[in-house]
Amino acid sequence: MEIEGIKIDSKFLKILSSKFEKKIQKIQKEVFKISNKEFNIASPKQLGEILYNDLKIADLKKTKKGGFATSASVLEDLAFKGHKFPQLILDWRQVSKLKNTYSDSLPEHINPKTKRVHTSFLLAATTTGRLASSDPNLQNIPIKSEDGRDIRKSFIAEKDHVLISADYNQIEMRILADLADVKELKKAFKKNEDIHSLTASQIFNTDIKKVNDDQRRKAKAINFGIIYGISQYGLAKQINVSNYEAEKFLNSYFAKFPEIKVYMDQTIKFCRKSGYVNNIFGRRSHFININDKNYNVRNFQERAAINAPIQGSAAEIMRLAMIRLDKKLTNQKTKMLLQIHDELIFETHKDEEKRISKMIIEEMSSVAKSDQHSFSIPLTVDLNTGENWGTLH
DNA sequence: GGTTCCAGCGCG
DNA sequence: AAAGCGCGCTGGAACC
């Protein structure tokens, strides 16, 4: 399915590319100075040899195929221990990723007729029911770093138009609350509470108003981890605490939200028996290796089976919203341009911005309230507008 | 010239 | 023994 297409500012991207190139050159110089020789930083083999053999600053961590591991988490550990070299590699990777994957490549996707970038949305490419985006993938445009957000700023609206971004607030946690019938979570969403702060207050046994940033950050990691079926070991790595502490967090989490543990156990049990799981709307995800004799294969399938109804229900809600919005937007000066899983991007004429914004929020938040699928949690939608996708208000 | 795999990393 | 779900794109490496 190819849809409208979005305008990008290729001059701005060109400026970004040369800015990135300068950074890359500068970092390279420092890297070569430390390593005492020039090599291809992008070559995992050469980099690994320098890191492990020449500089001797890495413990022996290997990849699947037996090469030296140089992933970000390995390098971050080393950087944390005070080594300058790994941090330089991390910086180099970040900037060259932005340049190669985004600022250099996006302008090549501009359609000469429409002067816009048209992604392809794949409707049946995922196991959960999500869409996928390719050629180019516009579902992974950077936002987390400052330089990354600059890339996002190159996505712009036509003259006299603005971009609208509308996203579902915490949709997967809301679905988990509904799916597993989690009393405390449902209560919190009905009161529109900050869910990560609430989780923090529950597992750290403090008043919700006294939760600090670090506690909230850890609670957030746990909430996401739960959705993905994390282990105590994985959680410990993620939030940088001991295994013992991570185990304590998970225990008190399941004590406060016992229905979640029940949901997980039941989902796996059902999947072992049937080979599939259903989401709220009846879409099936198949996991035929759920009973595999190999521990890794089996555990991987179990985590995926826990996650699929949650991710899949969210995907389904978004699909329904898109269908409703598509109908509502016929004969309007507003086009639906992008879907990024829980977010929709529209381009609208300033004349109808207010009215359309109201309509989008109404349609998206009421989509799972119909007779066929009564959803026990309110869905809230955050909507922002702006001249570009990087700066929205 | 091309294909396929891997490691790595961008996003939700 | 491994350790967090779902994707697509990139450059390197191995091979035809």
Side-chain angles (χ1 to χ4, degrees), chain A residues 207-258:
Chain A
D207 192 289
I208 189 161
K209 285 171 207 142
K210 286 185 184 157
V211 169
N212 65 37
D213 286 355
D214 189 57
Q215 289 171 325
R216 187 177 182 282
R217 182 185 63 81
K218 285 175 176 157
K220 188 175 172 181
I222 296 176
N223 281 332
F224 274 99
I226 289 294
I227 288 170
Y228 302 150
I230 202 172
S231 67
Q232 50 142 306
Y233 177 91
L235 180 64
K237 283 227 145 190
Q238 182 69 34
I239 59 176
N240 208 9
V241 298
S242 67
N243 275 1
Y244 173 71
E245 260 187 297
E247 189 186 358
K248 266 200 330 201
F249 289 157
L250 285 174
N251 284 342
S252 64
Y253 188 94
F254 287 129
K256 298 292 182 185
F257 308 117

Side-chain angles (χ1 to χ4, degrees), chain A residues 2-173:
Chain A
E2 193 178 85
I3 57 173
E4 307 291 345
I6 188 162
K7 208 175 156 191
I8 61 169
D9 183 344
S10 46
K11 274 186 201 157
F12 181 59
L13 284 172
K14 212 166 196 176
I15 295 169
L16 287 181
S17 275
S18 56
K19 196 176 114 188
F20 295 152
E21 180 60 29
K22 273 179 200 149
K23 280 199 188 187
I24 290 168
Q25 292 298 335
K26 199 181 148 205
I27 299 169
Q28 262 178 9
K29 251 190 184 171
E30 289 183 61
V31 167
F32 295 156
K33 215 166 106 188
I34 295 180
S35 62
N36 240 327
K37 62 176 146 186
E38 298 200 4
F39 66 101
N40 186 350
I41 302 177
S43 158
K45 200 164 164 259
Q46 293 178 41
L47 175 67
E49 274 160 19
I50 301 229
L51 195 63
Y52 287 76
N53 293 338
D54 293 12
L55 301 175
K56 304 194 192 321
I57 53 178
D59 307 327
L60 279 178
K61 288 193 180 135
K62 293 292 185 71
T63 63
K64 257 188 243 158
K65 269 192 83 190
F68 297 119
T70 71
S71 64
S73 66
V74 172
L75 297 180
E76 274 160 16
D77 283 349
L78 297 169
F80 182 74
K81 289 177 187 162
H83 296 293
K84 200 176 170 204
F85 188 80
Q87 186 57 55
L88 286 171
I89 302 299
L90 287 166
D91 296 343
W92 185 92
R93 290 236 182 104
Q94 194 189 45
V95 188
S96 57
K97 176 85 175 186
L98 294 176
K99 182 169 188 287
N100 295 335
T101 309
Y102 303 104
S103 59
D104 279 356
S105 132
L106 282 170
E108 293 168 14
H109 288 279
I110 295 173
N111 181 309
K113 273 196 195 134
T114 64
K115 312 274 191 211
R116 286 174 171 242
V117 176
H118 304 260
T119 184
S120 293
F121 281 106
L122 315 180
L123 305 189
T126 68
T127 51
T128 58
R130 272 190 174 184
L131 306 187
S133 158
S134 76
D135 307 296
N137 181 355
L138 295 185
Q139 289 180 322
N140 70 346
I141 300 303
I143 190 170
K144 291 173 182 171
S145 71
E146 253 336 283
D147 284 338
R149 189 177 284 267
D150 281 343
I151 302 276
R152 202 167 268 231
K153 287 179 187 160
S154 74
F155 289 76
I156 54 179
E158 194 75 47
K159 186 171 173 293
D160 296 325
H161 290 63
V162 286
L163 296 180
I164 297 176
S165 157
D167 66 279
Y168 282 114
N169 177 291
Q170 297 289 351
I171 188 163
E172 293 194 338
M173 283 304 291

Side-chain angles (χ1 to χ4, degrees), chain A residues 149-387:
Chain A
R149 189 177 284 267
D150 281 343
I151 302 276
R152 202 167 268 231
K153 287 179 187 160
S154 74
F155 289 76
I156 54 179
E158 194 75 47
K159 186 171 173 293
D160 296 325
H161 290 63
V162 286
L163 296 180
I164 297 176
S165 157
D167 66 279
Y168 282 114
N169 177 291
Q170 297 289 351
I171 188 163
E172 293 194 338
M173 283 304 291
R174 286 169 198 264
I175 284 163
L176 176 63
D178 180 83
L179 202 56
D181 200 17
V182 188
K183 242 207 277 160
E184 287 296 315
L185 278 185
K186 285 168 91 166
K187 228 164 59 186
F189 279 124
K190 281 174 185 159
K191 285 194 283 184
N192 210 13
E193 272 179 318
D194 178 325
I195 212 65
H196 301 316
S197 295
L198 172 83
T199 304
S201 79
Q202 298 270 5
I203 59 176
F204 296 111
N205 243 323
T206 57
D207 192 289
I208 189 161
K209 285 171 207 142
K210 286 185 184 157
V211 169
N212 65 37
D213 286 355
D214 189 57
Q215 289 171 325
R216 187 177 182 282
R217 182 185 63 81
K218 285 175 176 157
K220 188 175 172 181
I222 296 176
N223 281 332
F224 274 99
I226 289 294
I227 288 170
Y228 302 150
I230 202 172
S231 67
Q232 50 142 306
Y233 177 91
L235 180 64
K237 283 227 145 190
Q238 182 69 34
I239 59 176
N240 208 9
V241 298
S242 67
N243 275 1
Y244 173 71
E245 260 187 297
E247 189 186 358
K248 266 200 330 201
F249 289 157
L250 285 174
N251 284 342
S252 64
Y253 188 94
F254 287 129
K256 298 292 182 185
F257 308 117
E259 303 94 333
I260 294 181
K261 184 80 181 129
V262 173
Y263 161 77
M264 291 177 150
D265 294 343
Q266 279 180 350
T267 302
I268 291 173
K269 200 172 154 195
F270 179 88
C271 192
R272 280 194 190 129
K273 221 169 43 196
S274 64
Y276 64 84
V277 292
N278 294 319
N279 73 27
I280 294 174
F281 301 87
R283 187 188 292 265
R284 279 182 191 179
S285 299
H286 295 270
F287 299 98
I288 57 169
N289 298 318
I290 187 92
N291 293 307
D292 200 283
K293 59 185 191 310
N294 180 300
Y295 178 95
N296 293 324
V297 173
R298 198 169 64 242
N299 272 36
F300 188 54
Q301 294 261 299
E302 287 178 2
R303 294 194 297 272
I306 287 171
N307 175 260
I310 303 171
Q311 189 184 119
S313 299
E316 217 58 54
I317 286 171
M318 183 55 103
R319 281 183 184 238
L320 292 168
M322 290 175 78
I323 292 167
R324 283 163 71 142
L325 286 163
D326 179 65
K327 284 184 190 143
K328 287 271 181 182
L329 289 175
T330 46
N331 301 321
Q332 303 290 332
K333 285 187 254 177
T334 301
K335 301 287 180 210
M336 202 187 327
L337 302 188
L338 300 177
Q339 188 250 48
I340 309 98
H341 310 304
D342 64 353
E343 174 187 16
L344 291 173
I345 302 292
F346 305 84
E347 186 176 35
T348 189
H349 196 280
K350 281 177 179 168
D351 288 350
E352 57 182 43
E353 176 190 339
K354 283 249 159 63
R355 178 173 59 82
I356 294 288
S357 296
K358 228 177 126 185
M359 184 278 287
I360 291 170
I361 292 175
E362 174 55 31
E363 291 299 319
M364 285 176 73
S365 42
S366 63
V367 72
K369 254 193 252 162
S370 69
D371 295 341
Q372 294 113 298
H373 348 85
S374 56
F375 190 69
S376 63
I377 311 289
L379 286 175
T380 70
V381 172
D382 300 317
L383 185 143
N384 293 286
T385 65
E387 314 260 321

